[in-house]
Amino acid sequence: MCGIVGFTGRIDARKFLLDGLSRLEYRGYDSAGIALVQSGNDSELGILRVKGKIADLRAAVDESELNGNCGIGHTRWATHGVPSEANAHPHRDCSGRIAVVHNGIIENYAQLRAELIAKGHDFQSQTDTEVVAHLVEEFYSGDLIEAVRATVAQLTGSFALAVLHAEHPDTIIVTRNDSPLVLGSYEGGALVASDVPAIIEYTRDVIYIGDRDMAVLRSDGAIECYDATGAVFEPTVYHVEWDLEDAQRGGYPDFMLKEIHEQPRVIRDTLAGRFDVVSGELSFEELPLSSEELAAVDRIYIVACGTSYHAGLIGKSIIEAWARIPVEVEVASEFRYRNPIITSGTLVLAITQSGETADTLEAVRLARKAGAHVIALTNVVGSRITREAQTVLFIKANLEIAVAATKSFLAQVALLTLLALHFAQQRGKLSKEQVAEIYAEMRKLPEQIEWILANSHEIEHCAKACADATTALFIGRGVSATTCFEGALKLKEISYLHAEAFPAGEIKHGPIALIDVEKRTPVITVVPQSLTREKTLSNIEEVLARGAQVIAIATYGDKRIHELTDLVITIPSVSEYLSPITASVPLQLFARAIAIARGCDVDQPRNLAKSVTVE
Ligand code: AGP
């Protein structure tokens, strides 16, 4: 997720651009930049970009000669290319008179880049965004609107774009697809930004354009809107009531809920560009391992901590089921001290959202010293893990602010699922048809998550039943047992209610003694359609017989579960191996509802930090 801003008006644009980027810094801050049509010299664009935060950009602008009434700006959360001045936006064409800022992922950028290079265009960055500037240059012959329209027709993927041209000193062209964009105007001029916080102090009357619509912002404050066919339309104007803080949370009461609701987009971004429909193969350009090298892998260690460790447990089940490679999942703080057996056939996956967890970093150093190839799965470009592992796979969860990992966990599981598919395909364990079928089912996950989010009333009802408990048990079988481990962690870390998860088959080997009939101990069970569902139903009857209160996460339409308990949270029907992604969403909302009922701070739970950078 990045932040873009744009202003064209009768006053200097710098203040709006820099203040607006500061208001969007929660969207990403590894590098930033602005471009301005230079006042008094219409054939030139001035540009300034820094690796670092907005404060660094502001200092650089203050020291520069840069000025102008029409400009665009960007704060970056790197997805393609490391954080650097060269990869910072705005990006320009060969002439330097076209500048573009972008939020999103252009899925077909590699092909477009190759075609443009073949036509003689000279690229300065590793980013997907730069292809837009060169495409506009390619199509421009005086009409900027038409040039941008022709450019957009070439793009697949998600984008919010703002385009400047030195020959059009009072004009900004904007367009979007999937990524957010909000427009507004006031007596000083016309404004565009990724999100309301950047413009709310200038106007509360805002315009949202649709996918592949375009808008032209003029210095007199006029905003002309065109639909995807090029027809002019009168936009709807919305009045925003939020205060600034609400606006930065996107109107949600806390970042955790905002990030839970970002999960459909995160899954879409994780899947984007990973499957080549022509070859029928998964695309992992970052992975330098050939099919022969993957065939030689005889053991995988997954090392991680906390929620990332739980993602690794799910990854183990799926990699072993599909690729038939033995996988051991290790808590990093244990792995690094137990002298693990590492041979030339060992592959290590290190999973860390922050890329800064001390124990995971040390586990990676040990594995590398022993000769293993280490693949890091992380969310933060430029984090320390990216310098320690030979291969880095970035999850596309964007900035996660709440301490409790939610969207980053789902992104980790989705990426591990794709990796398992890739390993299975490269080792000849799954056919192209099987891979295509599983990938097609994964493409439905965003809508299924949206369905769960839209039907979350059951969750509030179930949470109320547990809010006063002193302990909660979670049970499930197979991958659902791991979903329970993560659900228990979410509950205890934000509500401080002790929670413990067990494979359902273990409940009779001791834990069932924890059920207190007087307290009606809550037992949360994850029991989607699966080969072991009947066994879990028997375990539910066993705990009910001892006075437990059962909350069930079950597949929509499962009549039997409603006969056993009236506290049922339904999820759409998915294949068992994809169920951790759908079943985890209600458990996140369940934990949050209980935490709120108990008066806890869901974004910043006591005693915790977002990244444990010490041992
Ligand atoms: C999860 O909600 C916690 N925030 C915590 O367990 C976290 O997953 C763990 O500290 C690992 O962090 P990492 O993924 O950044 O390495």
Side-chain angles (χ1 to χ4, degrees):
M1 175 164 68
C2 302
I4 70 175
V5 291
F7 173 86
T8 176
R10 289 181 280 278
I11 57 173
D12 189 307
R14 284 175 296 176
K15 179 174 179 354
F16 170 77
L17 297 178
L18 293 167
D19 292 352
L21 289 178
S22 298
R23 293 279 164 73
L24 298 179
E25 202 155 27
Y26 69 88
R27 298 176 64 84
Y29 44 74
D30 56 49
S31 52
I34 65 171
L36 288 158
V37 180
Q38 293 302 277
S39 298
N41 180 354
D42 288 352
S43 64
E44 288 303 314
L45 283 185
I47 194 166
L48 240 179
R49 304 178 302 182
V50 298
K51 176 187 175 187
K53 294 184 181 295
I54 309 300
D56 304 318
L57 176 65
R58 191 185 291 274
V61 170
D62 290 347
E63 288 165 13
S64 75
E65 298 297 312
L66 208 57
N67 64 71
N69 298 354
C70 179
I72 56 179
H74 185 274
T75 183
R76 186 168 183 240
W77 177 263
T79 55
H80 295 75
V82 296
S84 65
E85 192 275 336
N87 287 332
H89 303 211
H91 288 288
R92 285 169 290 183
D93 69 322
C94 303
S95 74
R97 295 193 303 168
I98 296 170
V100 174
V101 289
H102 166 229
N103 171 32
I105 297 173
I106 294 170
E107 290 179 23
N108 62 334
Y109 87 96
Q111 171 205 334
L112 292 171
R113 180 187 174 104
E115 289 165 4
L116 287 160
I117 289 173
K119 288 178 181 172
H121 288 264
D122 181 19
F123 279 75
Q124 304 300 320
S125 79
Q126 304 162 289
T127 65
D128 56 334
T129 304
E130 192 180 349
V131 298
V132 177
H134 293 286
L135 277 174
V136 174
E137 176 187 20
E138 192 64 23
F139 290 118
Y140 181 73
S141 54
D143 185 334
L144 186 57
I145 298 174
E146 281 317 309
V148 174
R149 181 173 290 117
T151 295
V152 168
Q154 301 289 313
L155 306 181
T156 61
S158 57
F159 51 83
L161 294 167
V163 181
L164 270 191
H165 195 303
E167 293 170 9
H168 301 261
D170 75 337
T171 303
I172 300 175
I173 312 284
V174 299
T175 185
R176 62 173 288 274
N177 188 51
D178 263 356
S179 296
L181 209 54
V182 61
L183 313 177
S185 65
Y186 75 116
E187 67 277 1
L191 315 160
V192 59
S194 296
D195 203 353
V196 167
I199 67 174
I200 199 168
E201 71 175 283
Y202 296 87
T203 179
R204 288 179 174 276
D205 295 322
V206 301
I207 293 168
Y208 297 99
I209 58 175
D211 281 349
R212 294 182 183 271
D213 288 351
M214 281 174 56
V216 181
L217 280 65
R218 307 279 187 195
S219 57
D220 62 0
I223 297 177
E224 302 149 19
C225 295
Y226 301 85
D227 67 20
T229 68
V232 176
F233 70 92
E234 198 54 41
T236 304
V237 179
Y238 298 89
H239 185 75
V240 175
E241 299 294 347
W242 293 333
D243 63 26
L244 179 59
E245 204 184 309
D246 286 345
Q248 279 174 319
R249 287 192 301 260
Y252 289 98
D254 46 71
F255 278 107
M256 183 179 181
L257 188 59
K258 177 171 181 278
E259 288 157 5
I260 289 172
H261 280 258
E262 286 174 4
Q263 293 181 124
R265 148 150 315 297
V266 164
I267 297 294
R268 283 193 186 95
D269 286 351
T270 301
L271 295 173
R274 284 291 182 195
F275 183 71
D276 181 333
V277 288
V278 175
S279 68
E281 300 224 333
L282 270 296
S283 163
F284 273 96
E285 293 169 354
E286 316 93 314
L287 213 49
L289 300 178
S290 66
S291 46
E292 293 73 24
E293 287 167 317
L294 281 174
V297 171
D298 57 20
R299 181 207 308 256
I300 294 177
Y301 284 117
I302 297 180
V303 295
C305 303
T307 288
S308 297
Y309 169 75
H310 294 150
L313 290 173
I314 294 166
K316 166 191 168 69
S317 300
I318 299 174
I319 292 170
E320 288 190 343
W322 292 347
R324 308 305 293 159
I325 305 172
V327 180
E328 290 182 51
V329 189
E330 302 256 355
V331 171
S333 55
E334 292 297 308
F335 180 82
R336 58 180 290 206
Y337 293 113
R338 70 169 191 78
N339 191 15
I341 300 163
I342 291 177
T343 66
S344 59
T346 304
L347 182 62
V348 172
L349 302 183
I351 307 174
T352 167
Q353 186 283 133
S354 63
E356 299 293 343
T357 298
D359 284 319
T360 307
L361 289 166
E362 286 303 329
V364 164
R365 290 173 189 136
L366 177 145
R368 289 216 53 190
K369 204 177 291 175
H373 186 99
V374 178
I375 299 173
L377 280 72
T378 190
N379 192 33
V380 183
V381 177
S383 60
R384 278 191 293 170
I385 196 87
T386 62
R387 296 187 290 278
E388 300 279 354
Q390 289 105 318
T391 301
V392 180
L393 300 179
F394 289 108
I395 65 172
K396 301 271 194 289
N398 300 316
L399 198 56
E400 187 173 67
I401 292 172
V403 166
T406 51
K407 60 176 184 173
S408 63
F409 170 70
L410 247 58
Q412 289 168 345
V413 173
L415 187 55
L416 284 163
T417 306
L418 291 171
L419 205 52
L421 270 181
H422 176 66
F423 290 166
Q425 188 164 40
Q426 295 301 313
R427 291 166 63 100
K429 301 297 182 187
L430 287 180
S431 68
K432 283 190 178 179
E433 293 69 29
Q434 289 171 306
V435 168
E437 187 183 336
I438 295 167
Y439 184 82
E441 188 179 1
M442 292 184 76
R443 294 284 287 209
K444 296 176 191 161
L445 288 168
E447 286 162 38
Q448 290 165 330
I449 297 169
E450 283 162 352
W451 184 90
I452 292 166
L453 294 171
N455 294 278
S456 59
H457 53 282
E458 299 163 325
I459 299 167
E460 302 285 337
H461 173 58
C462 293
K464 283 195 179 67
C466 304
D468 299 329
T470 52
T471 188
L473 310 184
F474 287 71
I475 61 171
R477 287 177 182 258
V479 283
S480 291
T482 311
T483 305
C484 287
F485 294 154
E486 175 53 18
L489 174 60
K490 279 288 121 356
L491 181 57
K492 60 189 153 191
E493 70 172 321
I494 65 171
S495 75
Y496 320 145
L497 164 56
H498 178 256
E500 203 169 344
F502 313 90
E506 273 297 285
I507 194 85
K508 290 196 291 294
H509 300 278
I512 202 165
L514 290 168
I515 294 173
D516 180 329
V517 64
E518 298 302 320
K519 294 178 180 173
R520 298 219 59 218
T521 307
V523 176
I524 297 92
T525 172
V526 179
V527 55
Q529 290 299 347
S530 74
L531 296 175
T532 55
R533 172 177 163 276
E534 288 299 327
K535 299 289 184 192
T536 307
L537 292 175
S538 302
N539 298 130
I540 290 172
E541 293 192 66
E542 289 159 5
V543 298
L544 283 170
R546 288 157 179 82
Q549 185 172 217
V550 169
I551 292 101
I553 314 285
T555 303
Y556 182 81
D558 181 336
K559 293 186 172 51
R560 177 83 180 93
I561 200 69
H562 288 278
E563 294 164 6
L564 293 171
T565 175
D566 57 9
L567 297 173
V568 179
I569 299 167
T570 50
I571 57 175
S573 175
V574 293
S575 301
E576 181 173 1
Y577 287 116
L578 300 183
S579 67
I581 290 178
T582 48
S584 295
V585 177
L587 292 178
Q588 295 164 351
L589 294 168
F590 177 76
R592 178 180 171 276
I594 290 179
I596 287 171
R598 293 163 72 102
C600 301
D601 179 342
V602 293
D603 281 343
Q604 295 177 341
R606 69 185 181 199
N607 309 336
L608 293 178
K610 185 59 183 169
S611 173
V612 182
T613 57
V614 294
E615 297 175 23

